[in-house]
Structures are given as structure tokens and as C-alpha cells.
Amino acid sequence: MIKDTIVDGFNNAPHRSLYHALGLTKEEQSRPLIGIVSSFNEIVPGHVNLDKIADAVKLGVAMAGGTPIVFPAITVCDGIAMGHTGMKYSLVTRDLIADSTEAMVMAHGFDGLVMIPNCDKNVPGLLMAAARLNIPTIFVSGGPMLAGRVDGKKTSLSSMFEAVGAYTAGKIDDEQLRICEENTCPTCGSCSGMYTANSMNCLTEVLGMGLKGNGTIPAVYSARIELAKHAGMQIMELVRKNIRPRDIMTEGVMRNAVTADMAIGCSTNSMLHLPAIANECGIEFNLDMANEISEKTPNICHLAPAGHTYMEDLNEAGGVYAVLREIAKLGLLDTSVMTCTGKTLGENIENAFNKDETVIRTVDNPYSKTGGIAVLRGNIAPDGCVVKRSAVAPEMLVHEGPAKVFDSEEDCIAAIYGGKIVKGDVVVIRYEGPSGGPGMREMLSPTSAIAGMGLDKDVALITDGRFSGATRGASIGHVSPEAVRGGLIAYVKDGDIISINIPEYKIELKVSDEEIAKRKQEMPIKVKTDVRGYLARYAAMVSSADKGAIINKF
């Protein structure tokens, strides 16, 4: 306990004097000190309400006999950062968040932690920190945004990005674009589809690190405040029982998370974040596990962008626990694992049930018999690449076409809006990987432009970068090895035929070995020379995407 090393004894009088400077009474100093890691800020819509969540957590901690102390974590809004150099700073914050949280906790000796994240890199960054620090920890997120309403229909941010493509193609006018702009994001919260933020928040429940509803209760519901109070109370139970993150996040739990990911249809970014979290837990995470699990896990949810249901609908249908209860019928989960509730996963979901089979389908009536994500391999991606197949049109599951090659996202977007991408093309965007980008930008702008122009059922896109959870279509990311590290994607030329077969997990560049060898002699690798600061350090140290784009190997 903190009082044993920092509070008790004559030698700790200087420490106690500084606690008095904080206004902490002797009684507060004698109780377990609980760090509340608040990601509140006033620029990210998913985080602008986190001050209220933190206040509720503080009440819960105090009610249960602890002393709550708040300190901050940063986050980037991927939506605001999208399509410009700011996106280079999105994924890289995951490590900044983990490292800075580690520094604060180790310097100040907290007895337990309540993590309050909400958006894309913020959730996995804090999960990484929790595993690394391994002191009692619980998560309570800020909650999802309510869906927007346009022309009487629910909508979300992915539709807004696609509206830009539709406007460019002349399918909507200025007034229609304005209506979309003003009505798509109606509340605070993480964007309302099954994008990366909501994917990871849902997975906190599966990983056993968040209470029931953490992934789905909308940000503006009073139930979210009640959840935060309960999380504050529950951390005291975890401290008393000394239940730690690595007691909870075991190898079996990681398999559960991948299984739930497949059933729910989570973002492809989960295939970056789960390996990184597993690494901090000392667990090997092989991407091939995704296909193995996918083969026997039905996809039973089609939330936006894959379908027309949203986080509020999943919440009303029974939430993550209802999904887990449904797939547990097939014996696909290890229900014996411990969770932050102090109970096993099986005990947690025992009384859950599916309230709406139009939102959560039964395992007898899935959207597909296989899971929502596939890992493809072939000569262009011998170490793997990832696609959200639940968001791919059936006619694009198998595709072959000529490459249109771009060395940056910006060049690709200009070509799309310039009408240079036609039906049948395979768009290739390279030098956007973890090291080559650097930062592995999300390609939501080009994929949304393609979808908005009505080409998502005719055009594929592959990249060594990654995709937003808001992306739909045959969008294949995380190509490994990446271009800057000599991956074959660096040697693709316009007109080369690329074959994609998602059901068979294959992707091939149809160019002879002799021609490839010749190109490697003639086509130099393009290394960016104008990268400075944190991005330069990140580029030098980061692993490939198939390893989770991690910095530290444990």
C-alpha cells in the first residue's frame, strides 16, 4: 500500500507535508490512494464529457473508502486529424499515453487506478499501461455518441465523410451537404458506429477490465454517470482483493477478445491494439489466430459502417454481454476467466439476453458464418494484411484488377476526385506504414471518397497504412512488410494485376519473380528526410504492423 512506502514513518514526513499542500487530511492519507486517469479535454467530442465521468468516479471511490486523485492523459480526435499531417500523430499517441501514465503512477505510488478513456488510441494506450503497471485497475469510458438524424434516418460520421465524395460526384448539393454536416454528430461521445473507439470500449468488457455497459451506454445517458460511480466503488474491491490486470488479461481472455471482435464486427485497428496489449501482458499474439477463430465464429452484428444499426441500438439490444451470451452457445468462449467484477465471465453473462434479434442476430441466423475480420497473406503481404470483411460488398470478396499506385494519401485523394479511379481498379497507397508514414495514417478520406462516389462495390484499396473503423468496402490495410522496409508493395507499378481472395485469405501481385528482382535494383526505397521530433524517434523504433506497431517488446 502507498501508506507503507510514502505516508507512514518519520522518514516520510516530507511526503506528508506535500500531501498537506494538496489539502489531503490525515484521514485521506491513511486510505488507499486511487489514481484517476482522466482523458478530459475540450477538443475531442468523445472526451469533452469526461470531467463529469471523473467527478462521478471520485464520488464512488470516496464512498467506498478510498482517496481519489485525478491526473490527465492525452488523446487525438481521429476525425479532426483525418486527411492531413495531424493523422501522423494519432497511432503514435498510444505509446505516449502508456509511457506517461507509467511515469505518473511509478512516481507517485498509487494503490489502484481508474482509467477514463474514450477514443481510438486512448483506450488501448491505457490498457497497455494497465498491463505494464499491473496494479488493480478498472476502466470506465466516456460512452458513444447518439446517432445523427438526416432525412428521418439514423446516420454517423462515416456517412459524413462519404457525403463529401457524393458532393464531389454531383450526387448531393450544397444544402444537402450542410444538412448532413449539422445533423450527423448530435451529442458528445465517441462516434456512433462500430468504429475503433467503440470497438475497443466494447472489448474492455470482454477483456474483463470494464463493467457491464462500458462499451455501449451512450455518453449522454445518466446511466453512464451511475456506471462511473460503480467503477469508483469497484476499484476499492479490486484493491482489497489485490486483483490485478495481468490476473485478468490472460491468454484465454485474449482469445475471447478476438472471438468477440469477430462476432461484433470490430474495427481492423483491433488487430493492431490487441497484439500491443497482449505484448504488455507477456502474451504472444499471432495474427493467424484471427483466421483460425474467424473460421468458427459467426458475425452476428452489422453496426455502421457495415450496416444501419448504431451503438445506441446495441445498448438497447442487451449490449456486449448479450453478444457474448449468444456466441457462448457455440462453446467459443472461455467463460471461466476472472473479470474486474470479481466474478467470472460466465457468471457475468449468465443473466444477459438478446432483446432485439435485428441488432444482435442469433448464431443460427448470422450475417455470415465467419467472423468480421480476415488476415490475408501472399507475396505482397507475406507477414499479413487485414480487412474488415463484414463491411465488404459480397461482389468484392474476390477481385482482380490493375493497380493504381500512389506514394501518399494526398496523391490518391487528388486522383479520386480527379476522376482517375475507375471500376475494377486496385488502388495502392504506400509509404504510409508505421515507420514510413511515419505514424501509419488512417485512410478514411480516400475510402469514403470511393464509397461516396459509388465505387465501393467496384474498387479495392490496399495500403501499408491503416483504416478507420468507419471505413467500408474492400479496404485492405496493415500490409507487412511496409514499403519503407523493403516490402513488395514498394515495387508495385501502375497496371500490375493484383488478385484478392478474402474467403481464401489470399492476396497476390501477379508479377514474375524475375521482374520483381529487376525492380528492386531499379526502384530505390523512398525514405522521408524531413521528419523531426517524436515522429522521427517513433519511425526508428516502431515494429511492423503485424506485430502491433509496438515500441517496447516484453
Side-chain angles (χ1 to χ4, degrees), residues 171-204:
K171 294 184 176 184
I172 62 173
D173 60 19
D174 288 319
E175 178 63 10
Q176 289 170 302
L177 185 64
R178 183 194 64 78
I179 290 170
C180 290
E181 176 185 332
E182 294 178 358
N183 294 281
T184 293
C185 298
T187 73
C188 64
S190 49
C191 296
S192 57
M194 188 52 74
Y195 311 147
T196 306
N198 291 325
S199 294
M200 295 308 301
N201 282 326
C202 285
L203 291 179
T204 60

Side-chain angles (χ1 to χ4, degrees), residues 338-355:
M338 177 56 63
T339 71
C340 67
T341 67
K343 300 177 181 178
T344 66
L345 179 64
E347 290 173 313
N348 286 346
I349 67 174
E350 186 176 7
N351 296 317
F353 63 97
N354 184 355
K355 302 174 186 177

Side-chain angles (χ1 to χ4, degrees), residues 212-365:
K212 179 183 179 182
N214 187 52
T216 60
I217 297 172
V220 295
Y221 282 14
S222 298
R224 176 63 56 176
I225 300 298
E226 294 183 32
L227 180 72
K229 291 175 183 176
H230 283 128
M233 290 185 271
Q234 186 59 25
I235 186 59
M236 297 306 299
E237 278 298 302
L238 295 176
V239 169
R240 279 190 276 270
K241 295 178 179 177
N242 196 28
I243 298 174
R244 303 179 180 227
R246 294 205 296 267
D247 298 328
I248 294 171
M249 292 191 287
T250 61
E251 185 172 352
V253 166
M254 289 298 163
R255 290 186 66 87
N256 283 350
V258 176
T259 303
D261 187 319
M262 296 298 172
I264 296 170
C266 292
S267 164
T268 52
N269 281 315
S270 63
M271 291 296 106
L272 283 175
H273 300 324
L274 288 175
I277 297 162
N279 171 65
E280 296 285 352
C281 293
I283 298 168
E284 285 292 326
F285 189 106
N286 190 316
L287 275 186
D288 289 332
M289 176 173 60
N291 289 346
E292 172 218 328
I293 291 174
S294 178
E295 282 295 325
K296 53 191 177 185
T297 305
N299 176 228
I300 59 176
C301 295
H302 259 196
L303 281 76
H308 300 290
T309 53
Y310 298 84
M311 294 304 297
E312 62 198 66
D313 301 313
L314 180 58
N315 185 62
E316 291 169 11
V320 174
Y321 278 16
V323 176
L324 297 180
R325 177 72 183 274
E326 189 64 38
I327 58 176
K329 294 175 182 178
L330 299 177
L332 298 176
L333 297 173
D334 180 351
T335 57
S336 69
V337 295
M338 177 56 63
T339 71
C340 67
T341 67
K343 300 177 181 178
T344 66
L345 179 64
E347 290 173 313
N348 286 346
I349 67 174
E350 186 176 7
N351 296 317
F353 63 97
N354 184 355
K355 302 174 186 177
D356 189 342
E357 292 182 5
T358 67
V359 177
I360 304 171
R361 289 194 175 185
T362 66
V363 292
D364 298 323
N365 181 38

Side-chain angles (χ1 to χ4, degrees), residues 17 66 71 114 333 351 360 362 371 379 399 433-434 458 499 504 507:
S17 71
F71 65 89
V114 182
L333 297 173
N351 296 317
I360 304 171
T362 66
N379 63 350
H399 179 76
D458 302 287
S499 173
E504 295 186 5
I507 183 168

Side-chain angles (χ1 to χ4, degrees), residues 74-95:
I74 64 167
T75 193
V76 165
C77 176
D78 280 21
I80 294 174
M82 196 70 65
H84 58 91
T85 192
M87 181 47 69
K88 295 179 183 288
Y89 287 88
S90 173
L91 179 61
V92 303
T93 63
R94 190 182 69 182
D95 292 276

